[in-house]
Amino acid sequence: ETKPRTPVIWLHGLECTCCTESFIRSSHPIVADVIMNMISLDYDDTLSAAAGHQLEAVRKQIMKDYKGQYILAVEGNVPTKDDGMYCIIGGDSFQNVLKETAADAAAVIAWGACASFGCVQNAKPNPTGAQPIDKIIKDKPIVKVPGCPPIAEVMTGVITHVHTFGELPELDRMGRPKAFYNTRIHDKCYRRSFFDAGMFVESFDDESTRKGWCLYKMGCKGPTTYNSCSKIQWNEGTSFPIGSGHPCIGCSEPNFWDKGPFYTR
Ligand code: SF4
Ligand code: SF4
Ligand code: F3S
């Protein structure tokens, strides 16, 4: 409680802003606690009150005052084609802004599938040359928090860890925090007993759907997807895609758009 808050610069590249939408719905810890007591969210294109040149001045000031100490959080990925002209922030390309801001950051957090792996912008034919941030930033520790979006409590859980222990959480071989990405959706899915018994939904409008049988034959990617949805769930533990009758589409795995179609095996 006596620790000074960690300065955070939160950049937005090519993205849809739903990682932020997820983040602001965290219930444990509540997002107000994160922002008031753990981090100082000094720059965020979408959440900051200031905008334009005033906000860019804040970013440069934080980079100077907290050189080597601030966390760079990145939502979205980096269009690299045509000198990065497909995402311009404050008159410069996102690619340049990202490189400039990462240079003096203590560490980088990649929010969501976009920043971690590329997501839809990076799917074939990838017209803007969109790349995940680890293709641009090579000299900083990067925590990948994939999902489209990531679970709110996973996002704030990562921040809580960094704030509490003053270090990054333990990561797996893909750079994801082990605490949240060490099991597959399938491992904790409440429909697993139907899978084991060979009881599968064959059509979205048949009796097996109403009975809640396993969605594997409808294209469920739960057996190959590492995330916490079947453990933590969403919306304060209310449900998750499979709980509402939809197969997992593997949104936290690399290249999940190109691994479709979503509704067949
Ligand atoms: Fe949006 Fe998904 Fe990208 Fe997050 S990862 S910004 S939810 S498209
Ligand atoms: Fe596994 Fe998906 Fe079936 Fe759940 S619904 S048991 S995650 S295949
Ligand atoms: Fe994504 Fe599958 Fe969870 S689609 S939200 S990883 S259940």
Side-chain angles (χ1 to χ4, degrees):
E1 286 180 355
T2 55
K3 264 190 181 175
R5 292 182 296 160
T6 309
V8 173
I9 296 176
W10 186 318
L11 296 180
H12 295 251
L14 283 189
E15 48 92 345
C16 80
T17 305
C18 282
C19 288
T20 291
E21 290 287 348
S22 180
F23 175 74
I24 61 177
R25 284 163 179 77
S26 176
S27 59
H28 42 280
I30 60 168
V31 71
D33 195 18
V34 173
I35 291 182
M36 299 298 180
N37 297 321
M38 296 186 200
I39 62 170
S40 179
L41 188 54
D42 295 318
Y43 176 104
D44 186 321
D45 312 30
T46 57
L47 295 178
S48 293
H53 65 88
Q54 289 176 323
L55 191 55
E56 291 310 309
V58 169
R59 180 173 65 85
K60 300 213 164 159
Q61 195 65 46
I62 295 298
M63 287 163 54
K64 193 167 145 212
D65 292 350
Y66 296 94
K67 189 172 177 173
Q69 299 171 49
Y70 61 88
I71 300 287
L72 170 60
V74 186
E75 181 173 349
N77 54 28
V78 192
T80 57
K81 203 169 161 191
D82 300 329
D83 295 327
M85 66 165 287
Y86 300 106
C87 187
I88 302 293
I89 296 174
D92 201 357
S93 70
F94 176 62
Q95 184 170 215
N96 287 342
V97 172
L98 175 65
K99 284 181 186 165
E100 179 185 72
T101 316
D104 290 322
V108 180
I109 300 176
W111 292 137
C114 290
S116 299
F117 299 132
C119 205
V120 66
Q121 307 87 311
N122 164 269
K124 295 184 182 77
N126 191 359
T128 65
Q131 298 295 339
I133 60 166
D134 65 356
K135 294 277 190 278
I136 310 295
I137 308 301
K138 306 273 192 190
D139 59 349
K140 297 284 169 185
I142 298 177
V143 182
K144 294 180 181 175
V145 188
C148 190
I151 300 168
E153 287 74 21
V154 170
M155 300 176 79
T156 52
V158 170
I159 289 174
T160 303
H161 182 103
V162 173
H163 175 73
T164 305
F165 299 110
E167 60 182 23
L168 300 182
E170 192 181 352
L171 306 179
D172 67 10
R173 66 187 169 83
M174 296 176 76
R176 304 172 296 195
K178 281 185 179 173
F180 300 112
Y181 295 91
N182 66 346
T183 54
R184 303 169 303 167
I185 302 298
H186 189 64
D187 296 327
K188 304 286 179 187
C189 180
Y190 73 102
R191 298 192 188 213
R192 179 64 181 266
S193 55
F194 293 112
F195 178 92
D196 292 340
M199 297 163 79
F200 298 105
V201 171
E202 304 270 354
S203 160
F204 279 125
D205 58 2
D206 69 6
E207 193 56 24
S208 61
T209 299
R210 283 183 279 280
K211 287 180 174 165
W213 290 4
C214 173
L215 294 162
Y216 183 64
K217 290 191 175 178
M218 303 306 292
C220 184
K221 306 285 195 299
T224 54
T225 300
Y226 288 81
N227 204 346
S228 286
C229 309
S230 53
K231 290 187 287 190
I232 298 177
Q233 307 209 10
W234 290 76
N235 300 325
E236 301 185 36
T238 304
S239 189
F240 70 121
I242 293 166
S244 59
H246 195 282
C248 169
I249 60 172
C251 77
S252 56
E253 290 296 312
N255 308 318
F256 75 98
W257 288 95
D258 287 334
K259 286 180 183 162
F262 293 140
Y263 297 106
T264 58
R265 273 180 288 168

Short mmCIF file of all heavy atoms in Angstrom, two decimals, residues 224-257:
data_model
loop_
_atom_site.label_atom_id
_atom_site.label_comp_id
_atom_site.label_asym_id
_atom_site.label_seq_id
_atom_site.Cartn_x
_atom_site.Cartn_y
_atom_site.Cartn_z
N THR A 224 -6.98 -27.54 -27.93
CA THR A 224 -5.66 -27.02 -28.32
C THR A 224 -5.46 -25.56 -27.91
O THR A 224 -4.53 -24.90 -28.39
CB THR A 224 -5.45 -27.14 -29.85
OG1 THR A 224 -6.56 -26.51 -30.51
CG2 THR A 224 -5.35 -28.59 -30.29
N THR A 225 -6.32 -25.06 -27.02
CA THR A 225 -6.26 -23.64 -26.67
C THR A 225 -5.91 -23.44 -25.21
O THR A 225 -6.62 -23.93 -24.31
CB THR A 225 -7.62 -22.96 -26.97
OG1 THR A 225 -7.89 -23.11 -28.36
CG2 THR A 225 -7.59 -21.49 -26.62
N TYR A 226 -4.84 -22.70 -24.97
CA TYR A 226 -4.40 -22.41 -23.61
C TYR A 226 -4.95 -21.04 -23.18
O TYR A 226 -4.63 -20.03 -23.78
CB TYR A 226 -2.87 -22.43 -23.52
CG TYR A 226 -2.31 -23.83 -23.62
CD1 TYR A 226 -2.14 -24.45 -24.85
CD2 TYR A 226 -2.00 -24.55 -22.46
CE1 TYR A 226 -1.66 -25.76 -24.95
CE2 TYR A 226 -1.52 -25.85 -22.54
CZ TYR A 226 -1.35 -26.45 -23.78
OH TYR A 226 -0.89 -27.74 -23.86
N ASN A 227 -5.79 -21.06 -22.15
CA ASN A 227 -6.36 -19.83 -21.61
C ASN A 227 -7.12 -20.20 -20.33
O ASN A 227 -7.26 -21.39 -20.02
CB ASN A 227 -7.31 -19.17 -22.63
CG ASN A 227 -7.48 -17.68 -22.39
OD1 ASN A 227 -7.13 -17.14 -21.34
ND2 ASN A 227 -8.05 -16.98 -23.38
N SER A 228 -7.61 -19.19 -19.61
CA SER A 228 -8.25 -19.45 -18.31
C SER A 228 -9.77 -19.40 -18.36
O SER A 228 -10.42 -19.40 -17.31
CB SER A 228 -7.77 -18.42 -17.29
OG SER A 228 -6.45 -18.68 -16.89
N CYS A 229 -10.36 -19.36 -19.55
CA CYS A 229 -11.81 -19.13 -19.65
C CYS A 229 -12.63 -20.18 -18.90
O CYS A 229 -13.64 -19.85 -18.28
CB CYS A 229 -12.25 -19.10 -21.11
SG CYS A 229 -11.28 -17.97 -22.11
N SER A 230 -12.23 -21.45 -18.98
CA SER A 230 -13.03 -22.48 -18.31
C SER A 230 -12.76 -22.52 -16.81
O SER A 230 -13.48 -23.21 -16.08
CB SER A 230 -12.78 -23.86 -18.95
OG SER A 230 -11.40 -24.16 -18.98
N LYS A 231 -11.76 -21.78 -16.33
CA LYS A 231 -11.50 -21.71 -14.89
C LYS A 231 -12.06 -20.41 -14.30
O LYS A 231 -12.89 -20.42 -13.41
CB LYS A 231 -9.99 -21.76 -14.62
CG LYS A 231 -9.35 -23.09 -14.91
CD LYS A 231 -7.89 -23.12 -14.47
CE LYS A 231 -7.01 -22.29 -15.37
NZ LYS A 231 -5.57 -22.46 -15.14
N ILE A 232 -11.59 -19.27 -14.82
CA ILE A 232 -11.97 -17.97 -14.25
C ILE A 232 -13.33 -17.51 -14.80
O ILE A 232 -14.11 -16.90 -14.10
CB ILE A 232 -10.89 -16.91 -14.60
CG1 ILE A 232 -9.55 -17.28 -13.98
CG2 ILE A 232 -11.32 -15.53 -14.15
CD1 ILE A 232 -8.42 -16.33 -14.34
N GLN A 233 -13.56 -17.83 -16.07
CA GLN A 233 -14.74 -17.38 -16.81
C GLN A 233 -14.74 -15.85 -16.98
O GLN A 233 -13.77 -15.18 -16.66
CB GLN A 233 -16.02 -17.89 -16.18
CG GLN A 233 -15.97 -19.41 -15.99
CD GLN A 233 -17.31 -20.09 -16.05
OE1 GLN A 233 -18.32 -19.52 -16.42
NE2 GLN A 233 -17.32 -21.36 -15.71
N TRP A 234 -15.84 -15.34 -17.53
CA TRP A 234 -15.94 -13.92 -17.90
C TRP A 234 -17.06 -13.25 -17.11
O TRP A 234 -17.92 -13.92 -16.56
CB TRP A 234 -16.25 -13.79 -19.40
CG TRP A 234 -15.10 -14.19 -20.28
CD1 TRP A 234 -14.69 -15.47 -20.56
CD2 TRP A 234 -14.22 -13.32 -20.97
NE1 TRP A 234 -13.60 -15.42 -21.39
CE2 TRP A 234 -13.30 -14.13 -21.67
CE3 TRP A 234 -14.12 -11.94 -21.09
CZ2 TRP A 234 -12.29 -13.59 -22.46
CZ3 TRP A 234 -13.12 -11.40 -21.88
CH2 TRP A 234 -12.22 -12.22 -22.55
N ASN A 235 -17.04 -11.93 -17.14
CA ASN A 235 -18.11 -11.14 -16.50
C ASN A 235 -18.34 -11.60 -15.06
O ASN A 235 -19.40 -12.08 -14.69
CB ASN A 235 -19.42 -11.22 -17.31
CG ASN A 235 -19.23 -10.70 -18.71
OD1 ASN A 235 -18.47 -9.76 -18.94
ND2 ASN A 235 -19.89 -11.32 -19.68
N GLU A 236 -17.29 -11.42 -14.27
CA GLU A 236 -17.32 -11.79 -12.85
C GLU A 236 -17.65 -13.27 -12.66
O GLU A 236 -18.42 -13.65 -11.77
CB GLU A 236 -18.30 -10.92 -12.07
CG GLU A 236 -17.95 -9.44 -12.16
CD GLU A 236 -18.85 -8.58 -11.29
OE1 GLU A 236 -19.22 -9.03 -10.19
OE2 GLU A 236 -19.14 -7.46 -11.70
N GLY A 237 -17.09 -14.10 -13.53
CA GLY A 237 -17.27 -15.54 -13.38
C GLY A 237 -18.63 -16.03 -13.84
O GLY A 237 -19.06 -17.12 -13.47
N THR A 238 -19.32 -15.25 -14.67
CA THR A 238 -20.68 -15.62 -15.09
C THR A 238 -20.68 -16.78 -16.08
O THR A 238 -21.40 -17.76 -15.93
CB THR A 238 -21.39 -14.41 -15.74
OG1 THR A 238 -21.37 -13.33 -14.83
CG2 THR A 238 -22.83 -14.75 -16.11
N SER A 239 -19.87 -16.67 -17.14
CA SER A 239 -19.90 -17.69 -18.19
C SER A 239 -18.69 -17.52 -19.09
O SER A 239 -17.80 -16.71 -18.82
CB SER A 239 -21.21 -17.57 -19.00
OG SER A 239 -21.34 -18.68 -19.87
N PHE A 240 -18.65 -18.29 -20.16
CA PHE A 240 -17.61 -18.16 -21.18
C PHE A 240 -18.19 -18.71 -22.47
O PHE A 240 -19.32 -19.22 -22.47
CB PHE A 240 -16.32 -18.85 -20.74
CG PHE A 240 -16.35 -20.35 -20.68
CD1 PHE A 240 -15.46 -21.10 -21.44
CD2 PHE A 240 -17.23 -21.04 -19.86
CE1 PHE A 240 -15.45 -22.49 -21.39
CE2 PHE A 240 -17.23 -22.43 -19.80
CZ PHE A 240 -16.35 -23.15 -20.56
N PRO A 241 -17.50 -18.57 -23.62
CA PRO A 241 -18.14 -18.94 -24.89
C PRO A 241 -18.83 -20.31 -24.85
O PRO A 241 -19.99 -20.43 -25.26
CB PRO A 241 -16.97 -18.91 -25.87
CG PRO A 241 -16.09 -17.82 -25.34
CD PRO A 241 -16.17 -17.96 -23.85
N ILE A 242 -18.16 -21.34 -24.37
CA ILE A 242 -18.76 -22.68 -24.36
C ILE A 242 -19.97 -22.72 -23.43
O ILE A 242 -20.97 -23.39 -23.71
CB ILE A 242 -17.70 -23.72 -23.95
CG1 ILE A 242 -16.64 -23.82 -25.06
CG2 ILE A 242 -18.32 -25.08 -23.68
CD1 ILE A 242 -15.37 -24.55 -24.67
N GLY A 243 -19.93 -21.94 -22.37
CA GLY A 243 -21.06 -21.88 -21.44
C GLY A 243 -22.31 -21.30 -22.08
O GLY A 243 -23.43 -21.58 -21.66
N SER A 244 -22.12 -20.47 -23.13
CA SER A 244 -23.28 -19.92 -23.83
C SER A 244 -23.57 -20.70 -25.10
O SER A 244 -24.33 -20.25 -25.96
CB SER A 244 -23.08 -18.44 -24.12
OG SER A 244 -21.93 -18.24 -24.90
N GLY A 245 -22.95 -21.86 -25.25
CA GLY A 245 -23.30 -22.76 -26.35
C GLY A 245 -22.47 -22.60 -27.60
O GLY A 245 -22.78 -23.18 -28.64
N HIS A 246 -21.38 -21.81 -27.52
CA HIS A 246 -20.55 -21.58 -28.71
C HIS A 246 -19.21 -22.29 -28.56
O HIS A 246 -18.60 -22.22 -27.50
CB HIS A 246 -20.31 -20.08 -28.88
CG HIS A 246 -19.80 -19.72 -30.23
ND1 HIS A 246 -18.49 -19.91 -30.60
CD2 HIS A 246 -20.43 -19.20 -31.31
CE1 HIS A 246 -18.34 -19.51 -31.86
NE2 HIS A 246 -19.50 -19.09 -32.31
N PRO A 247 -18.73 -22.94 -29.60
CA PRO A 247 -17.41 -23.55 -29.49
C PRO A 247 -16.34 -22.50 -29.22
O PRO A 247 -16.48 -21.35 -29.63
CB PRO A 247 -17.17 -24.17 -30.88
CG PRO A 247 -18.48 -24.16 -31.57
CD PRO A 247 -19.32 -23.09 -30.94
N CYS A 248 -15.28 -22.90 -28.52
CA CYS A 248 -14.09 -22.05 -28.39
C CYS A 248 -13.47 -21.93 -29.78
O CYS A 248 -13.30 -22.94 -30.48
CB CYS A 248 -13.10 -22.71 -27.43
SG CYS A 248 -11.48 -21.93 -27.42
N ILE A 249 -13.15 -20.71 -30.21
CA ILE A 249 -12.51 -20.53 -31.53
C ILE A 249 -10.99 -20.37 -31.39
O ILE A 249 -10.30 -20.02 -32.34
CB ILE A 249 -13.11 -19.34 -32.33
CG1 ILE A 249 -12.94 -18.03 -31.58
CG2 ILE A 249 -14.57 -19.61 -32.66
CD1 ILE A 249 -13.33 -16.79 -32.42
N GLY A 250 -10.48 -20.59 -30.18
CA GLY A 250 -9.03 -20.55 -29.99
C GLY A 250 -8.45 -19.14 -30.06
O GLY A 250 -7.33 -18.96 -30.54
N CYS A 251 -9.19 -18.16 -29.52
CA CYS A 251 -8.80 -16.77 -29.73
C CYS A 251 -7.50 -16.38 -29.03
O CYS A 251 -6.98 -15.30 -29.29
CB CYS A 251 -9.93 -15.83 -29.33
SG CYS A 251 -10.11 -15.58 -27.55
N SER A 252 -6.99 -17.23 -28.15
CA SER A 252 -5.72 -16.89 -27.49
C SER A 252 -4.53 -17.61 -28.11
O SER A 252 -3.40 -17.50 -27.61
CB SER A 252 -5.80 -17.23 -25.99
OG SER A 252 -6.15 -18.59 -25.82
N GLU A 253 -4.77 -18.33 -29.20
CA GLU A 253 -3.68 -19.05 -29.87
C GLU A 253 -3.18 -18.27 -31.09
O GLU A 253 -3.94 -17.52 -31.72
CB GLU A 253 -4.18 -20.43 -30.31
CG GLU A 253 -4.42 -21.38 -29.17
CD GLU A 253 -3.15 -21.73 -28.40
OE1 GLU A 253 -2.12 -22.07 -29.03
OE2 GLU A 253 -3.17 -21.67 -27.15
N PRO A 254 -1.90 -18.44 -31.45
CA PRO A 254 -1.37 -17.74 -32.62
C PRO A 254 -2.15 -18.08 -33.89
O PRO A 254 -2.57 -19.23 -34.07
CB PRO A 254 0.08 -18.24 -32.72
CG PRO A 254 0.40 -18.78 -31.37
CD PRO A 254 -0.89 -19.26 -30.77
N ASN A 255 -2.32 -17.09 -34.74
CA ASN A 255 -2.92 -17.27 -36.08
C ASN A 255 -4.28 -17.95 -36.06
O ASN A 255 -4.61 -18.72 -36.95
CB ASN A 255 -1.97 -18.09 -36.98
CG ASN A 255 -0.58 -17.51 -36.99
OD1 ASN A 255 -0.40 -16.30 -37.06
ND2 ASN A 255 0.43 -18.37 -36.90
N PHE A 256 -5.09 -17.66 -35.05
CA PHE A 256 -6.37 -18.39 -34.97
C PHE A 256 -7.31 -18.05 -36.12
O PHE A 256 -8.14 -18.86 -36.49
CB PHE A 256 -7.04 -18.21 -33.60
CG PHE A 256 -7.70 -16.87 -33.36
CD1 PHE A 256 -9.06 -16.71 -33.53
CD2 PHE A 256 -6.96 -15.79 -32.93
CE1 PHE A 256 -9.69 -15.50 -33.28
CE2 PHE A 256 -7.57 -14.56 -32.68
CZ PHE A 256 -8.94 -14.42 -32.85
N TRP A 257 -7.18 -16.88 -36.71
CA TRP A 257 -8.03 -16.54 -37.87
C TRP A 257 -7.69 -17.43 -39.06
O TRP A 257 -8.57 -17.90 -39.77
CB TRP A 257 -7.86 -15.07 -38.26
CG TRP A 257 -8.49 -14.15 -37.30
CD1 TRP A 257 -7.88 -13.51 -36.26
CD2 TRP A 257 -9.88 -13.78 -37.23
NE1 TRP A 257 -8.80 -12.77 -35.55
CE2 TRP A 257 -10.01 -12.90 -36.14
CE3 TRP A 257 -11.00 -14.10 -38.00
CZ2 TRP A 257 -11.24 -12.34 -35.78
CZ3 TRP A 257 -12.22 -13.54 -37.66
CH2 TRP A 257 -12.33 -12.67 -36.55
#
